[in-house]
Amino acid sequence: MPETAHPASSLKLAIAPDASLPARQRGAWRRRSIPFLLLLPTLLLMGYTFILPLLTFFQYSFFTYRRGRLVEEFSLETYRRFLFDGYYRTIILDTLWMSALVTIVAVIIGYPLAYALWRLERPWMKRWLSLIIFSPIIVSVVVRSYGWTVLLADQGPLNWMLLKLGLISAPLTLVFNLTGVVISLSHVFLPFIVFPIYASMTRLDPALREAAMDLGAGWWFTFRRVTLPLTLPGLVAATQIAFTLALGAFVTPAMLGGGRVQVLPLQVYHATTDINWPVAAVGGLTLLLMAFVSVALFNRLLKYSEA
Amino acid sequence: MHPDVEFRSVTKRFGSYLAVSDVSFVVPRGSFFSLLGPSGCGKSTTLRMTSGFEFPDVGEILIAGEDMSNVAPYRRPTNMVFQRWALFPHMTVYDNVAFGLTVDRVAPAELKTRVGEALELVGLTSFAARKPKQLSGGQMQRVALARALVKRPKVLLLDEPLGALDLKLRVQMQLELKRIQREVGTTFIYVTHDQGEALTMSDQIAVMNNGRIEQLGSPQDIYDRPMTRFVANFIGNANILPVEVDGISGTQARVHMGSLSFVTDVSEPPATRKALIAIRYERIRIGEAARGLPVMTRGLVRDAIFAGSAVHYLMTLEANQAEITVEAAHDGLSQPIAPGTTVDLGWEPSATRLFPDA
Ligand SMILES: Nc1ncnc2c1ncn2[C@@H]1O[C@H](COP(=O)(O)OP(=O)(O)OP(=O)(O)O)[C@@H](O)[C@H]1O
Ligand SMILES: [Mg+2]
């Protein structure tokens, strides 16, 4: 902040007209303060809506909740429960497991899609494919989730088709469990996976693939030794985005999980409706920590892949 | 014995655009063959059809006697040095060079010796562990060369490999490329738009323009006996002058411009009386050196431009007031002729070439 950085000049500015400062110094001060002034609304908003609640949360995380009442005494009880209680441990592991599954499924579908988008020659095909990839985030999450429940239901079109084709003898349970949640989340994260990967592909020099082919490499060898390693940064970025988004997903697990997918954001939500602030606070902080750790881990991976 | 590469009436279109048109040539084994021409004339397309990245619409391409119509790039006995080298940025120099051998599943011991030999050939043994980013342009160029040569191709294709280097390095790499070609004895097909490069290195040059081969011959052939006006104009520096044809007999013709009547060699017999001759700057003799030559005239020096090893005189011919440029070697002792002087000019009949005016 400029006030603390230049106490003398700002003081002078406050008591005397600008003209009392040497022109050059005044210009420099202005240049340095303009970015801060421009950032001020954002900083205030961030402080009020993010930092302040975070600090409050931090404070609440040390309280306890007993018989429907908040006990405002310092205690590590909630943390202890999160760390050692089997109930919370299962929830944390399930959250990680679901996020990992979603990320893996989304990458397995998204990478080939990005590749297809990259290799398509005709511009109109490219446009349509990008629109299709983009479509899940255009549709409201509620509408999309209902759509999936219809599609994936026991008597839904998917099961009907599989039964007709004789691939299964009894309907598969595809919704109101982890499967439904993973399908729907992978679907909505597709654009976040495809576009970073696609961007890293378009940055590839097309001559590299030709060079590999010229040296005798077929498609698979070229992909494994040239295209994939050089698009790894895009892949890592995509994974990072999908995983952190999945960690925080709330509506989809709530609507398509059928109560069987107990992820951390749902717990936090239930805790807040019970006004169990300590559990909500520790849950929220745990989510934040998990996001930080995963981002850091992926960044490590990125550095490794670029070396 | 089959020639290494043979094009038989090859035509290639991109949409309606004719990129390569009815091109035929033969590249003998072990020779240095250049495709020379201005930007966009279809040199790269010709090369890419040889490597298999493009396929001809009409005609055949044979490599070592075998038709390549249905052969994918990775199955052809050719390797390419790309215009901007296209080194794999995530691999070391060693791994770049080893790439082609890894594909072929060459045994580790043999791979190691062959990569070592290739790196030694281009003088990069001590750079094996570096990444392309850590190399200079000339070094990257050598890696690209080693990477292609290590596969021992029948034909090495080079697409303006020196285009991105500065002049000094380019001249040095020209000599080195020529040495390497002699050492390995591989057939080189070399694409360039730099006539100096083509003239110094090649055994044979195909001069291309608008997708066609205008002339195919040895560097000296092409320089001394350009067969089309385009070649005369594109290679070296030539004066193109209008003349009137008085009579043609075989390879020679009698022509006149203004009051000057003389005999010239014919490249393409013109159909009309009005035609053009081309004469190189340095084939015109000036002053003392012009005396006694079969064709003699006089000209007024308008300007003298000193260019180090030579002096360029901008002159007006007495016979028809045509503007010409004459290049005289500079001996380092005499003063250039002062502007405003009228001097003798002369040349041999073989110095001029006759073309149609169209
Ligand atoms: N893939 C393509 N699609 C459409 N047109 C193309 C394609 N490749 C080349 N052309 C056209 O064909 C013509 C010949 O191209 P080519 O690359 O062979 O030229 P070049 O002689 O190598 O030129 P330069 O010296 O600039 O590299 C050009 O006019 C170019 O625009
Ligand atoms: Mg080219």
Side-chain angles (χ1 to χ4, degrees):
Chain A
M1 256 171 239
E3 278 79 10
T4 51
H6 306 281
S9 60
S10 63
L11 193 68
K12 229 184 215 170
L13 207 74
I15 54 171
D18 277 4
S20 68
L21 276 169
R24 197 167 51 85
Q25 203 180 325
R26 217 174 341 131
W29 192 84
R30 239 182 236 165
R31 257 200 311 284
R32 248 173 294 164
S33 61
I34 280 174
F36 285 102
L37 287 176
L38 288 174
L39 274 175
L40 204 62
T42 316
L43 288 176
L44 285 176
L45 197 70
M46 281 283 281
Y48 190 70
T49 63
F50 187 67
I51 309 285
L52 218 65
L54 204 63
L55 290 175
T56 318
F57 250 56
F58 195 60
Q59 187 194 4
Y60 272 65
S61 71
F62 295 107
F63 298 158
T64 42
Y65 179 78
R66 262 185 236 125
R67 281 179 235 99
R69 287 185 50 209
L70 194 67
V71 183
E72 298 196 10
E73 281 166 22
F74 181 85
S75 153
L76 289 172
E77 174 60 16
T78 321
Y79 282 101
R80 198 195 56 79
R81 276 172 58 203
F82 259 81
L83 277 176
F84 301 111
D85 193 327
Y87 177 72
Y88 287 107
R89 193 149 12 130
T90 312
I91 286 172
I92 290 172
L93 287 179
D94 278 359
T95 309
L96 288 171
W97 172 234
M98 183 206 72
S99 305
L101 264 183
V102 168
T103 308
I104 290 167
V105 171
V107 163
I108 287 175
I109 298 170
Y111 194 94
L113 259 181
Y115 193 90
L117 191 63
W118 178 47
R119 300 308 303 157
L120 276 182
E121 303 255 331
R122 289 168 212 277
W124 66 267
M125 283 181 146
K126 256 191 168 68
R127 265 201 305 279
W128 276 102
L129 187 60
S130 5
L131 192 69
I132 291 170
I133 295 165
F134 214 80
S135 61
I137 47 177
I138 299 172
V139 179
S140 143
V141 60
V142 178
V143 175
R144 194 181 52 244
S145 299
Y146 274 120
W148 277 116
T149 52
V150 173
L151 263 178
L152 300 175
D154 285 6
Q155 286 82 33
L158 190 64
N159 267 317
W160 178 83
M161 209 166 67
L162 291 174
L163 281 168
K164 273 279 175 226
L165 290 172
L167 292 172
I168 52 170
S169 51
L172 297 172
T173 321
L174 295 173
V175 76
F176 302 126
N177 59 9
L178 187 61
T179 314
V181 175
V182 169
I183 291 175
S184 179
L185 280 182
S186 319
H187 175 225
V188 72
F189 294 163
L190 225 46
F192 300 103
I193 292 275
V194 170
F195 291 109
I197 297 175
Y198 174 71
S200 70
M201 284 171 173
T202 54
R203 278 196 299 270
L204 268 184
D205 179 0
L208 292 181
R209 293 175 69 248
E210 285 190 348
M213 225 187 286
D214 182 71
L215 292 165
W219 182 87
W220 176 239
F221 197 95
T222 307
F223 177 76
R224 211 158 41 87
R225 301 293 296 270
V226 180
T227 314
L228 184 61
L230 289 174
T231 51
L232 218 50
L235 182 62
V236 170
T239 311
Q240 211 165 18
I241 294 169
F243 191 78
T244 37
L245 283 178
L247 280 180
F250 166 72
V251 181
T252 308
M255 289 183 71
L256 293 176
R260 292 182 194 86
V261 183
Q262 287 300 326
V263 287
L264 206 45
L266 276 177
Q267 288 302 303
V268 173
Y269 174 74
H270 292 319
T272 54
T273 52
D274 295 347
I275 50 169
N276 186 345
W277 297 115
V279 165
V282 177
L285 290 171
T286 310
L287 271 176
L288 197 65
L289 186 74
M290 282 175 4
F292 270 134
V293 169
S294 67
V295 167
L297 274 178
F298 283 122
N299 276 343
R300 242 343 232 289
L301 206 65
L302 194 65
K303 230 176 248 151
Y304 179 75
S305 77
E306 273 168 355
Chain B
M1 194 166 83
H2 293 290
D4 262 351
V5 176
E6 187 175 354
F7 270 55
R8 290 186 183 157
S9 312
V10 170
T11 294
K12 174 75 190 175
R13 282 191 182 81
F14 292 111
S16 62
Y17 184 82
L18 199 57
V20 171
S21 164
D22 194 24
V23 160
S24 300
F25 60 82
V26 168
V27 183
R29 184 157 300 179
S31 65
F32 197 119
F33 185 91
S34 289
L35 291 163
L36 172 66
S39 185
C41 71
K43 310 177 296 281
S44 293
T45 307
T46 307
L47 203 68
R48 289 168 61 79
M49 285 193 286
T50 317
S51 68
F53 294 132
E54 308 282 358
F55 283 83
D57 295 317
V58 182
E60 284 157 18
I61 299 168
L62 288 85
I63 298 179
E66 276 183 59
D67 184 12
M68 290 287 128
S69 303
N70 296 310
V71 184
Y74 52 87
R75 296 201 188 286
R76 296 195 182 195
T78 61
N79 284 112
M80 178 115 127
V81 176
F82 288 80
Q83 188 151 12
R84 305 250 11 166
W85 314 314
L87 300 180
F88 303 123
H90 57 303
M91 297 182 197
T92 60
V93 167
Y94 184 94
D95 290 335
N96 262 282
V97 176
F99 188 91
L101 299 180
T102 318
V103 174
D104 292 348
R105 301 225 174 80
V106 171
E110 193 195 337
L111 182 138
K112 212 170 156 210
T113 26
R114 277 172 68 177
V115 173
E117 282 166 12
L119 286 175
E120 197 178 321
L121 184 71
V122 297
L124 282 182
T125 310
S126 56
F127 293 85
R130 293 219 195 164
K131 289 276 178 72
K133 253 185 292 196
Q134 303 162 305
L135 299 178
S136 72
Q139 289 162 344
M140 285 198 261
Q141 206 279 318
R142 282 163 219 251
V143 178
L145 190 64
R147 183 177 72 173
L149 278 175
V150 78
K151 298 236 357 174
R152 299 186 184 147
K154 279 204 168 65
V155 185
L156 187 75
L157 309 169
L158 304 101
D159 193 353
E160 307 204 22
L162 309 183
L165 304 180
D166 62 52
L167 185 64
K168 256 229 157 72
L169 195 55
R170 207 149 70 206
V171 172
Q172 185 194 332
M173 284 304 300
Q174 283 172 18
L175 298 175
E176 194 148 340
L177 270 178
K178 195 65 197 162
R179 164 187 73 80
I180 287 169
Q181 199 250 343
R182 266 196 303 269
E183 238 167 83
V184 295
T186 306
T187 307
F188 276 35
I189 301 186
Y190 190 95
V191 161
T192 180
H193 62 253
D194 182 321
Q195 44 159 313
E197 225 165 82
L199 290 171
T200 46
M201 290 194 284
S202 318
D203 297 318
Q204 293 265 299
I205 299 175
V207 184
M208 289 187 74
N209 184 33
N210 282 330
R212 295 177 179 281
I213 291 184
E214 293 257 343
Q215 187 172 355
L216 202 160
S218 69
Q220 199 180 344
D221 254 354
I222 291 202
Y223 192 84
D224 289 343
R225 284 174 292 283
M227 292 313 288
T228 68
R229 181 180 162 192
F230 172 82
V231 177
N233 214 0
F234 184 70
I235 295 175
N237 296 314
N239 295 292
I240 309 277
L241 302 169
V243 294
E244 280 187 49
V245 183
D246 299 320
I248 301 181
S249 62
T251 59
Q252 294 216 309
R254 175 153 289 279
V255 298
H256 71 270
M257 48 185 190
S259 55
L260 180 68
S261 170
F262 58 96
V263 172
T264 173
D265 277 7
V266 178
S267 279
E268 280 177 86
T272 55
R273 262 179 71 80
K274 291 209 179 302
L276 296 171
I277 57 158
I279 181 163
R280 296 209 180 283
Y281 293 181
E282 73 276 13
R283 294 291 297 270
I284 305 174
R285 302 275 177 263
I286 191 165
E288 284 291 319
R291 309 250 160 82
L293 284 172
V295 184
M296 271 193 64
T297 179
R298 289 172 67 76
L300 171 71
V301 176
R302 307 184 67 89
D303 205 353
I305 297 157
F306 183 69
S309 63
V311 185
H312 288 188
Y313 295 105
L314 304 185
M315 309 189 66
T316 308
L317 279 181
E318 220 165 51
N320 62 345
Q321 301 302 309
E323 303 271 328
I324 62 164
T325 307
V326 178
E327 180 183 321
H330 177 59
D331 59 11
L333 301 167
S334 56
Q335 279 297 316
I337 301 163
T341 321
T342 300
V343 291
D344 288 329
L345 295 173
W347 59 80
E348 301 278 346
S350 67
T352 51
R353 314 279 312 177
L354 186 69
F355 304 102
D357 182 9

